[in-house]
Amino acid sequence: MSYSTVNKLCAGTRLADVREFVQMLGFRKGLVWGSEGIKFYDYSWFEEAEYKSWSGVELCVYVDAEDRLLTVTTRSRVSRSYYDLVQQNNTVSALRRRFGGSFETDEGSGRYLRPAHGPPEPAASGCHLAFWRFGTNAIKVLGYLQAVQFQGEINDKANLPHFVVEMSPRALSNNMVIACLISVVEDYLKSVFIALLKYSESRGTFFRNVRLQGDQLARIASKEVSVEALVAETLSFQKISSACKHFKSLDKDLDLASVLRRPYRGRRKSLFEMLDELVAVRHDFVHRAILDHSYSHESLMQIVFDLDVAMTRIDKAIFVRYHWPIIGKKWSIGRRPNRRGGLNE
């Protein structure tokens, strides 16, 4: 689902003027492509400062085949932010003031798009972007698991010599997937920590406990990276117990460990313990090339859904702690498959 606008510019408007103007509005050049004799000029806008953009705004300039008028369309996704919508409206308005003509949006002819709510806190926006990236990466892993096939697979449960089982391509794939999933979780936790640290009232106190080297300070001075990102690089976010301690050091009321230890689906093993075990498997695989054969293709599918639940709990706990309006998911990994290969309702 997306939100679209169309500007029909006055006859006689020059293409070069329009292309120059949209770049003045902050849009970057994209592809130039053709279809059925019409040339399309693509542009995009994305504001990284203060985590303002979530999906950005797409823009296209072309000459309409029917009325021969220069036309500018914009599009933002359902995952757009307040600022993405503002940029979209400002673009429509600026084009009309500069070149005349008419415009139409999803709200109707001559009507601007309306935001459903005001702008979020920058830290909340940063946390949401991290959550969005986690969801996107989880979907990629699920897509891989659903698509991957191996010719002449070895059954790990069969009564075969150990050296034969060790050659299983499925086992190697499963261990690589676990390593990938730990990276996905690590990226989410570190990104959330950076967003919270950047706007925390206690950031000065936290910085006093961190020592940065000369090359790191040089990167900050050249604006290559933020001080919060470099501070996060000095901390470990792979082991869940360490990550939770970092969050609690930043805010004593942010107890993510207890959130992950809460009962889950009647299991004896908590989500916290599951994450700890996955990290141990990842370390054995990455540092010692040891394959763990206890994970099946089906159990890995379940783990992706478990991690989705775990990170969703963390996301909700953070938003509740700071009294931010819940943004929630703007993505979905679908329904959890049951042990028999079907789908749970």
Side-chain angles (χ1 to χ4, degrees), residues 78-314:
V78 68
S79 57
R80 68 183 177 182
S81 71
Y82 169 87
Y83 293 103
D84 292 332
L85 181 145
V86 168
Q87 173 68 9
Q88 203 171 3
N89 277 338
N90 288 345
T91 299
V92 170
S93 176
L95 285 167
R96 187 181 187 188
R97 290 197 309 270
R98 174 66 176 81
F99 300 108
S102 61
F103 72 89
E104 184 175 347
T105 73
D106 290 333
E107 298 288 343
S109 179
R111 301 181 64 182
Y112 293 99
L113 299 168
R114 293 176 294 179
H117 45 72
E121 294 286 336
S125 190
C127 291
H128 174 69
L129 278 172
F131 193 42
W132 169 268
R133 189 162 60 251
F134 165 79
T136 301
N137 288 329
I139 290 170
K140 291 176 183 177
V141 174
L142 273 181
Y144 170 79
L145 290 172
Q146 291 167 351
V148 67
Q149 293 181 347
F150 298 97
Q151 196 170 22
E153 283 197 55
I154 298 172
N155 186 350
D156 293 354
K157 296 181 180 179
N159 187 20
L160 296 171
H162 179 70
F163 72 89
V164 175
V165 176
E166 278 291 324
M167 300 302 292
S168 167
R170 173 70 72 179
L172 177 59
S173 173
N174 288 348
N175 280 259
M176 288 192 294
V177 167
I178 290 174
C180 177
L181 287 173
I182 293 303
S183 295
V184 169
V185 171
E186 180 185 15
D187 172 69
Y188 168 70
L189 294 172
K190 181 184 290 186
S191 299
V192 168
F193 183 84
I194 291 171
L196 294 179
L197 177 61
K198 186 173 183 178
Y199 301 99
S200 172
E201 294 180 356
S202 60
R203 65 198 294 265
T205 303
F206 197 92
F207 288 159
R208 284 201 293 269
N209 298 322
V210 179
R211 293 184 178 180
L212 298 178
Q213 304 300 317
D215 59 334
Q216 294 174 314
L217 295 173
R219 292 174 66 193
I220 295 172
S222 63
K223 297 183 179 180
E224 178 184 341
V225 66
S226 69
V227 62
E228 294 83 10
L230 276 181
V231 167
E233 286 183 9
T234 68
L235 307 172
S236 173
F237 288 88
Q238 278 189 1
K239 193 171 178 61
I240 190 61
S241 56
S242 298
C244 291
K245 287 178 182 177
H246 299 326
F247 281 99
K248 199 154 190 175
S249 296
L250 184 62
D251 182 347
K252 61 181 179 60
D253 294 323
L254 202 53
D255 189 1
L256 300 183
S258 65
V259 170
L260 295 175
R261 287 193 172 106
R262 290 204 308 260
Y264 172 57
R265 296 171 66 88
R267 300 180 186 177
R268 283 189 282 182
K269 185 185 299 181
S270 69
L271 293 169
F272 187 96
E273 293 170 316
M274 180 199 70
L275 281 163
D276 252 354
E277 287 188 6
L278 289 176
V279 170
V281 172
R282 180 263 179 201
H283 285 355
D284 280 344
F285 173 64
V286 171
H287 299 297
R288 302 172 60 195
I290 295 176
L291 296 183
D292 190 315
H293 292 266
S294 64
Y295 292 91
S296 67
H297 183 78
E298 292 72 21
S299 67
L300 278 184
M301 296 279 285
Q302 296 289 334
I303 285 172
V304 177
F305 283 86
D306 291 345
L307 292 178
D308 175 41
V309 173
M311 298 309 109
T312 300
R313 283 188 181 186
I314 290 176

